[in-house]
Amino acid sequence: MKQEIIIYFRELIARKNWKTVKQELTNYSPVEIAELIEELSKEDAFILFRLLPRELAKDTFSYLSHEEQEDIIEGLASNSSKIAELLNDLDPDDRTAFFEELPGKVTQRLMQLLSADEREVAARLLGYPEDSIGRLMTPEYVAVKPWFTVQQALEHIRTFGKDSETLNIIYVVDDQWKLINFVRIKEIILAAPDQVIEELAIKHFEALNPYDDREKAIRVFQDQDRVALPVTDTDGTLVGIITFDDVMDIVEEENVEDFQKFGSLQDAVVNPLKARIGTLYKQRIVWLIALVFMNVFSGAAIAGFSSVIESVVALVFFLPLLIDSGGNAGSQSATLMIRSLAVGDVQMKDWMKLLGKEIFVSLLLGLTMAAGVSLVASFRAPEVMIVVASTMVLTVMAGSMIGLLLPFVFTKLKVDPATASAPLITSIADITGVLIYFSIATWYFV
């Protein structure tokens, strides 16, 4: 958001010109207001949120970061009726996303503020496993019966469609609420009033299961190119829907999570500017300490070859170049595999086929890089040229194998493959590279 707009609202709040603030806010979308709140101080953000009309406050709340949402609820702590109004108005999927980030006791306390119907919905959605499709879905959709005429369907949509998450897709169910098929709203609008819904419905559809992992929803949306997908239980009963915007939020969250894991961060840091120093420290220290102890092995390996190092000092010059090349090759391979596993392009059963292909690719890479390092060695230390070239080929191949296989190993152990992060792969490749380099040197010179 433009800085002048932020300054303008800060001045209005400072002058306590509440009437103008309320009028001005109606000119902005919920997304823009959420961006404005993120830029204001906690006190000003809370004041601005309190001045929002009820419907606009509900929509804006769903676009705020979790930290800002907590600040808003904390600010409303003295006004339980206002909190109840906000939580009851929220779309069920947005409310679930908010609740699941809170401590259990806080969630239980806030759920007591919900109406009986909304509390039942919230409890049902929170009852599904974490990271499941059930946590993403919303029960707010429109369903019609197959024998409805178009005119009856439109009347039904007008009556019950106000609170629906989307009206682009209308679902067709039987008397037991089992999903039969669906119809696009466009087809209903363009059809004759007396035409039967069953004649317009699309027969082939894919439904999700609420217990499936949410990454499956991402893959199905990519394949189906839909704005919404139905969620059914094992009996085929329609229990909710997932919309495209919910999946896009998960895609962003997964990308951030994988990116930060690849940098060896314990958990996602949403905004380092707002995070406490202690939080940032805890996010980073565990992996750094673990990697320190792993790198001790590199030092121990070097110490074990002290005699050959003393006799051929030129070997030390090429050590960083060689082990870094292995780590870089491993990071490239791991990045490719983690991404392919995440989007479903590669399955666990494909590891052997990929390993065979990677052997040839890494061999070509290693030979090319060996030619380059041989040229450097021919000027700097010709006596180690054969050792350096041989090591380059083997370290690049070893690093590539490590980078390819680790994501599969973590996936097999049911651990996020992003945990096979660049620093971890680099550390393993470093140890391997040191052993390869000085083993070849010992064989060649001793």
Side-chain angles (χ1 to χ4, degrees), residues 159-215:
T159 303
F160 298 101
K162 181 180 178 181
D163 296 325
S164 177
E165 187 87 358
T166 178
L167 290 176
N168 291 334
I169 302 294
I170 306 299
Y171 297 94
V172 184
V173 297
D174 62 15
D175 288 336
Q176 284 71 46
W177 217 257
K178 290 187 177 181
L179 181 63
I180 301 173
N181 42 41
F182 70 91
V183 60
R184 294 185 177 90
I185 189 67
K186 175 183 175 182
E187 304 297 331
I188 296 177
I189 293 172
L190 296 178
D194 58 349
Q195 194 166 358
V196 179
I197 288 295
E198 190 173 21
E199 298 174 1
L200 304 174
I202 296 172
K203 307 297 181 183
H204 303 289
F205 63 88
E206 181 161 359
L208 300 168
N209 185 285
Y211 290 96
D212 287 338
D213 189 274
R214 63 187 186 179
E215 289 190 359

Side-chain angles (χ1 to χ4, degrees), residues 81-101:
S81 62
K82 192 70 177 178
I83 298 177
E85 179 183 287
L86 175 62
L87 294 178
N88 279 294
D89 285 345
L90 282 176
D91 292 333
D93 51 340
D94 292 330
R95 185 172 57 220
T96 302
F98 173 59
F99 279 168
E100 66 182 359
E101 296 292 333

Side-chain angles (χ1 to χ4, degrees), residues 356-411:
K357 185 178 289 187
E358 188 69 14
I359 289 173
F360 287 104
V361 173
S362 61
L363 176 60
L364 292 173
L365 292 172
L367 290 171
T368 305
M369 296 172 73
V373 78
S374 296
L375 182 62
V376 175
S378 65
F379 291 102
R380 183 69 173 77
E383 69 275 15
V384 301
M385 186 167 62
I386 294 176
V387 173
V388 168
S390 302
T391 302
M392 179 62 80
V393 175
L394 293 177
T395 54
V396 169
M397 292 185 69
S400 298
M401 296 303 103
I402 293 167
L404 181 141
L405 292 174
L406 268 184
F408 283 101
V409 171
F410 278 93
T411 301

Side-chain angles (χ1 to χ4, degrees), residues 92-375:
D93 51 340
D94 292 330
R95 185 172 57 220
T96 302
F98 173 59
F99 279 168
E100 66 182 359
E101 296 292 333
L102 297 173
K105 290 183 179 180
V106 177
T107 299
Q108 290 297 325
R109 179 171 60 83
L110 293 178
M111 284 186 64
Q112 298 308 310
L113 300 176
L114 298 174
S115 66
D117 290 343
E118 293 296 335
R119 192 182 311 128
E120 181 183 349
V121 171
R124 185 168 72 251
L125 296 182
L126 288 169
Y128 290 109
E130 189 177 356
D131 294 335
S132 68
I133 285 173
R135 290 283 187 100
L136 285 180
M137 71 180 185
T138 176
E140 294 183 342
Y141 57 85
V142 176
V144 296
K145 300 299 172 62
W147 56 83
F148 278 13
T149 64
V150 166
Q151 183 173 342
Q152 289 175 317
L154 287 172
E155 291 174 358
H156 183 83
I157 293 168
R158 292 188 191 100
T159 303
F160 298 101
K162 181 180 178 181
D163 296 325
S164 177
E165 187 87 358
T166 178
L167 290 176
N168 291 334
I169 302 294
I170 306 299
Y171 297 94
V172 184
V173 297
D174 62 15
D175 288 336
Q176 284 71 46
W177 217 257
K178 290 187 177 181
L179 181 63
I180 301 173
N181 42 41
F182 70 91
V183 60
R184 294 185 177 90
I185 189 67
K186 175 183 175 182
E187 304 297 331
I188 296 177
I189 293 172
L190 296 178
D194 58 349
Q195 194 166 358
V196 179
I197 288 295
E198 190 173 21
E199 298 174 1
L200 304 174
I202 296 172
K203 307 297 181 183
H204 303 289
F205 63 88
E206 181 161 359
L208 300 168
N209 185 285
Y211 290 96
D212 287 338
D213 189 274
R214 63 187 186 179
E215 289 190 359
K216 180 180 179 181
I218 297 172
R219 292 195 295 271
V220 175
F221 265 94
Q222 289 173 335
D223 295 338
Q224 298 289 324
D225 191 26
R226 298 276 171 79
V227 296
L229 283 172
V231 182
T232 60
D233 63 15
T234 52
D235 294 329
T237 302
L238 183 61
V239 293
I241 65 169
I242 293 182
T243 55
F244 181 75
D245 60 322
D246 293 325
V247 170
M248 287 306 297
D249 290 340
I250 297 304
V251 170
E252 181 182 1
E253 184 181 326
E254 292 284 340
N255 287 340
V256 170
E257 181 181 317
D258 288 350
F259 181 79
Q260 292 184 330
K261 282 185 178 179
F262 209 69
S264 290
L265 291 170
Q266 280 289 95
D267 299 299
V269 179
V270 176
N271 189 338
L273 280 174
K274 296 185 177 182
R276 296 184 178 91
I277 291 175
T279 301
L280 293 173
Y281 169 79
K282 288 189 290 185
Q283 299 289 355
R284 300 167 64 179
I285 191 60
V286 175
W287 267 107
L288 288 177
I289 291 294
L291 293 171
V292 163
F293 284 104
M294 284 195 65
N295 288 324
V296 167
F297 292 103
S298 294
I302 293 172
F305 294 100
S306 57
S307 58
V308 72
I309 295 173
E310 290 172 2
S311 61
V312 189
V313 178
L315 291 169
V316 178
F317 176 82
F318 294 96
L319 179 60
L321 183 153
L322 292 168
I323 62 174
D324 283 353
S325 296
N328 292 338
S331 295
Q332 283 186 336
S333 181
T335 301
L336 182 62
M337 287 306 105
I338 291 170
R339 173 62 182 165
S340 298
L341 284 166
V343 300
D345 291 340
V346 168
Q347 306 296 326
M348 280 294 297
K349 63 183 180 180
D350 300 321
W351 74 271
M352 184 68 78
K353 187 186 297 183
L354 289 166
L355 182 63
K357 185 178 289 187
E358 188 69 14
I359 289 173
F360 287 104
V361 173
S362 61
L363 176 60
L364 292 173
L365 292 172
L367 290 171
T368 305
M369 296 172 73
V373 78
S374 296
L375 182 62

